[in-house]
Amino acid sequence: MEASNFLSCPLIHNISVKAPEIQGWLICEEPTCQNRTRRLPLSFSRSGPVCQACKKAVLRPEYSDKALYTQLCFYRYIFDVDYAMDKVISEEDKEYLKKKPVRREISEAYKRLKSTVDKCLSMSAYSEVNLGKLFTVSIGRSVGDSSTERQ
């Protein structure tokens, strides 16, 4: 088994299977209750689904979208060999590492890990902003939409 496959399989498993966000756990926001469930209750309030254990607070995702996105960005950062070579490592260390024969194999393994994380991030629309929706006037038309303007 190649080193990159040996490393990327646990990474993919960590991202896709073990992430609590994907498992869908909800936790009660009441500190004394701390009910944890996967079932979405039928009773809702303005803030969200009402906790079935205490009936006082609402349920929130245990692992937020932002936390998952931050974790993926961190993985992308630590597996970026080119960035580390350019920004972190000194010139004399770069020359020493270029002479090492093992460096190429390890570098390729890290590049494959980074591409795995990049694939996961490309499927996410968390970091994308739709400027058309952002600059929409409350009556339903865009600010720069000339077809609905008066002539």
Side-chain angles (χ1 to χ4, degrees):
M1 182 186 281
E2 284 185 23
S4 63
N5 290 339
F6 179 73
L7 293 172
S8 67
C9 288
L11 177 68
I12 293 170
H13 185 272
N14 187 22
I15 292 170
S16 63
V17 177
K18 291 173 67 176
E21 209 282 322
I22 295 171
Q23 292 177 356
W25 285 101
L26 299 170
I27 190 165
C28 181
E29 65 180 10
E30 174 67 33
T32 59
C33 178
Q34 292 297 310
N35 181 35
R36 187 173 182 245
T37 183
R38 281 189 179 173
R39 293 186 179 176
L40 189 64
L42 296 176
S43 56
F44 279 78
S45 71
R46 288 184 179 179
S47 304
V50 177
C51 177
Q52 296 299 304
C54 68
K55 307 275 190 212
K56 294 188 286 186
V58 295
L59 297 171
R60 298 277 180 229
E62 185 176 40
Y63 201 77
S64 70
D65 295 338
K66 182 180 185 242
L68 181 62
Y69 181 75
T70 303
Q71 181 182 15
L72 288 173
C73 288
F74 175 72
Y75 281 148
R76 182 177 57 188
Y77 174 74
I78 64 172
F79 295 140
D80 195 354
V81 174
D82 297 327
Y83 178 81
M85 290 295 285
D86 291 340
K87 302 290 182 184
V88 179
I89 298 175
S90 66
E91 290 297 324
E92 56 196 36
D93 290 339
K94 284 181 193 177
E95 294 301 321
Y96 173 74
L97 288 173
K98 285 180 183 177
K99 294 176 186 174
K100 290 279 209 181
V102 180
R103 184 207 174 273
R104 183 176 177 88
E105 182 181 318
I106 293 172
S107 177
E108 290 299 319
Y110 274 105
K111 285 180 183 178
R112 285 195 181 139
L113 288 171
K114 184 179 180 292
S115 71
T116 302
V117 174
D118 285 338
K119 274 192 253 179
C120 292
L121 282 170
S122 69
M123 291 186 288
S124 169
Y126 187 80
S127 65
E128 296 176 11
V129 176
N130 185 348
L131 295 177
K133 287 184 179 179
L134 185 65
F135 294 112
T136 300
V137 181
S138 62
I139 58 174
R141 65 180 173 90
S142 294
V143 173
D145 193 5
S146 61
S147 64
T148 57
E149 291 180 13
R150 295 184 195 173
Q151 295 180 354

